[in-house]
Amino acid sequence: MRWREINFDGLVGPTHNYAGLSFGNVASIGNQGEQSNPKQAALQGLAKMRWLMDRGFLQGVLPPQVRPDINSLRRLGFRGTPEVVLANAWDQAPQILSLCSSASSMWLANAATVIPSRDNRSGRCIILPANLVSNVHRSIEVAGTVELLRYVFSNSDHFQVESPLPSVAEFADEGAANHMSFALQNKPAVHMFVYGRMVEGGEAPVRYPARQTREACSALIRFSGLDESRCMQVQQNPDAIDSGVFHNDVIAVSHDGLLLCHEKAFLNQPVVMEELRKKSEGSINIVEVSERDVPLEDAVNTYLFNSQILGDRNNPIMLLPIECSRNEKVRHYIETHLGPALNLQEIGYLDLQQSMANGGGPACLRLRISLNDAEVAALQGKVLLSDELHHRLVEFVETRYPDSLTLKQLADWEFAKRMINVVQDLYELLGLPSYLLDVAQQ
Ligand SMILES: NCCC[C@H](NC(=O)CCC(=O)O)C(=O)O
């Protein structure tokens, strides 16, 4: 049976803006109030998808959500017509209006944790949507994301989409950004679940919040159908979180039988690496980048580890944010060390600056899912990109997306209505039924 890894990228929404909503995400806070360019953001995302399609990879796409989210505003006590709701929110609580207007569902790495059918007991691909309780603007994505995933992955012979964990801080879960797996020859993969804190006891960051708990990871493992002996629960280095590593995918990336990470990624890292080696019976390739080669600060500023490594394990290619090529230390490390160490066949530096300015790099924008041919054929909706669909999306974005945006515009119902229509039309373009939008809005 043929297996393929599909990257589903979130199409950036027309309300993409810089609201400074994510404390602990240094880019989000640093760019608060800057003028955004949603059109450019979406085109940059589509160019990344194109880059991978051109290299023969199957590429998926999922639509943005409706924003501003009038229903969330209503749930927070704003009443009246949408026009009045928006005007009052802008007057009385602009921060709440910005929470309800974020295009943050674009970062699909936070949508869910995915366990391929070949690794788990159920024989189905298990999808565990994240509750994203650590940030209000992200938590309001969840209902819409769950409905969308339940539609695309509705074939119950092949897929099982669970409910998110209870929406409380004790079970805070941020999805695939905190999950890695390592394929081994002739054995189920080793799955690593990464957390930032425990509900009680243990070490924790002091400056910035830890977004995922160990208790959430344990619950995910119970749902995963994985053999516990193939799982690891690993704590992020609290110092890394305090330096801006709010998700594990800012400091580590896995591909096939490879782990690329910074030497300060995990607490008690030597012990973690030893356990990983043991569980994978030596067939793993671990590349730890030293602080001397790439200081943590440079890793956070360039998103070196938020890259995508794809293709044959012995001859992979690597897609990195363009910021990596502009930092001399990082570029030097990639070209003189990483290239030969991983036998990279191609290194692509892509411009994703609009998303990067909110702390979202290449890997944040994608949810990767390993599927066999039967599972690929069971997907619902036009969510796999063809040349034609890609072309239509580019054309759509060019004609319908604004090329500059500040929060104040979103307080105007006429403008907001246009942005909502854009998302409705995108659903149609992707063959997704409009009832999904209504459900998401309840
Ligand atoms: N995986 C990358 C996620 C980035 C995302 N940024 C944001 O939500 C910033 C939005 C803003 O500040 O407008 C986050 O921090 O969860």
Side-chain angles (χ1 to χ4, degrees):
M1 201 172 340
R2 183 169 55 152
W3 284 87
R4 278 179 293 181
E5 177 187 287
I6 307 179
N7 285 284
F8 284 88
D9 276 48
L11 184 65
V12 179
T15 64
H16 159 66
N17 71 95
Y18 300 119
L21 300 177
S22 291
F23 180 59
N25 168 342
V26 288
S28 154
I29 297 303
N31 291 306
Q32 179 169 23
E34 293 288 326
Q35 185 171 303
S36 65
N37 183 338
K39 184 186 289 185
Q40 191 184 43
L43 292 175
Q44 287 174 344
L46 282 161
K48 165 164 105 80
M49 300 180 219
R50 177 83 254 169
W51 195 88
L52 290 171
M53 288 167 71
D54 285 345
R55 282 149 186 82
F57 296 102
L58 212 50
Q59 177 68 48
V61 65
L62 292 178
Q65 296 191 354
V66 167
R67 295 289 182 276
D69 180 355
I70 306 288
N71 282 310
S72 286
L73 289 167
R74 288 196 199 288
R75 284 177 63 199
L76 290 166
F78 293 100
R79 287 162 199 256
T81 59
E83 193 169 354
V84 172
V85 166
L86 289 177
N88 285 346
W90 170 248
D91 272 356
Q92 298 163 24
Q95 182 65 6
I96 290 183
L97 178 60
S98 79
L99 292 172
C100 295
S101 303
S102 175
S104 55
S105 68
M106 68 168 100
W107 297 298
L108 272 188
N110 306 115
T113 301
V114 182
I115 314 294
S117 59
R118 65 175 165 206
D119 291 342
N120 74 63
R121 284 186 292 273
S122 79
R124 290 183 283 182
C125 174
I126 297 183
I127 300 179
L128 305 166
N131 59 27
L132 295 174
V133 285
S134 296
N135 293 83
V136 180
H137 69 293
R138 304 232 50 189
S139 71
I140 62 175
E141 294 167 29
V142 176
T145 300
V146 170
E147 287 312 315
L148 179 62
L149 293 173
R150 290 214 166 118
Y151 181 80
V152 174
F153 301 97
S154 63
N155 186 322
S156 57
D157 290 339
H158 295 292
F159 309 114
Q160 186 174 329
V161 181
E162 297 286 354
S163 297
L165 300 179
S167 297
V168 289
E170 285 83 345
F171 294 107
D173 172 23
E174 298 270 319
N178 288 332
H179 168 250
M180 299 189 286
S181 69
F182 307 98
L184 310 177
Q185 259 119 26
N186 309 321
K187 271 212 160 169
V190 174
H191 288 254
M192 188 187 280
F193 296 79
V194 184
Y195 60 92
R197 67 180 163 94
M198 292 188 254
V199 172
E200 266 172 53
E203 293 190 45
V206 290
R207 191 166 169 220
Y208 293 143
R211 291 203 199 178
Q212 178 121 5
T213 63
R214 181 178 174 105
E215 287 71 10
C217 292
S218 305
L220 294 175
I221 291 173
R222 285 190 288 274
F223 275 111
S224 70
L226 293 167
D227 186 332
E228 255 188 66
S229 69
R230 313 306 297 154
C231 295
M232 291 175 67
Q233 297 191 61
V234 173
Q235 183 164 1
Q236 282 186 279
N237 181 342
D239 295 342
I241 296 178
D242 279 337
S243 305
V245 180
F246 56 97
H247 288 140
N248 175 63
D249 69 2
V250 177
I251 205 66
V253 55
S254 64
H255 169 61
D256 208 331
L258 166 76
L259 168 62
L260 171 66
C261 65
H262 195 274
E263 69 172 347
K264 291 187 172 172
F266 309 111
L267 192 66
N268 303 325
Q269 191 147 324
V271 179
V272 173
M273 295 300 112
E274 196 42 47
E275 190 188 342
L276 180 57
R277 276 198 192 90
K278 219 182 252 164
K279 277 202 191 310
S280 56
E281 295 165 15
S283 81
I284 188 156
N285 181 14
I286 300 177
V287 178
E288 282 179 274
V289 181
S290 71
E291 177 72 18
R292 196 169 46 100
D293 283 333
V294 178
L296 205 47
E297 197 188 335
D298 292 277
V300 171
N301 290 336
T302 61
Y303 269 40
L304 164 63
F305 297 94
N306 202 261
S307 49
Q308 292 178 245
I309 305 172
L310 303 104
D312 187 274
R313 68 154 70 191
N314 299 314
N315 306 285
I317 65 166
M318 192 165 183
L319 183 167
L320 299 128
I322 198 164
E323 284 75 3
C324 292
S325 72
R326 295 178 176 151
N327 177 310
E328 220 172 288
K329 256 192 171 163
V330 172
R331 186 183 188 122
H332 178 80
Y333 180 78
I334 294 166
E335 288 177 3
T336 60
H337 289 72
L338 222 44
L342 304 185
N343 197 24
L344 294 176
Q345 300 302 295
E346 187 178 1
I347 300 172
Y349 298 105
L350 272 76
D351 186 358
L352 294 160
Q353 183 272 330
Q354 285 284 326
S355 171
M356 284 285 284
N358 253 336
C364 294
L365 287 162
R366 64 98 158 97
L367 182 64
R368 56 179 158 170
I369 308 193
S370 288
L371 298 176
N372 61 36
D373 286 341
E375 292 166 343
V376 172
L379 295 170
Q380 268 208 108
K382 283 193 273 176
V383 292
L384 292 182
L385 278 176
S386 60
D387 287 343
E388 195 219 328
L389 183 55
H390 186 273
H391 182 75
R392 286 182 69 186
L393 286 171
V394 169
E395 210 170 63
F396 182 94
V397 168
E398 271 169 352
T399 50
R400 302 283 301 277
Y401 272 52
D403 57 15
S404 76
L405 185 71
T406 52
L407 187 61
K408 190 169 188 312
Q409 283 169 275
L410 292 166
D412 169 27
W413 174 234
E414 283 310 312
F415 181 83
K417 206 163 47 183
R418 283 215 310 279
M419 299 304 105
I420 291 172
N421 286 336
V422 165
V423 174
Q424 288 166 336
D425 291 347
L426 276 170
Y427 266 65
E428 203 181 317
L429 216 158
L430 297 176
L432 299 166
S434 57
Y435 83 81
L436 289 176
L437 291 164
D438 304 333
V439 181
Q441 289 291 293
Q442 273 160 19

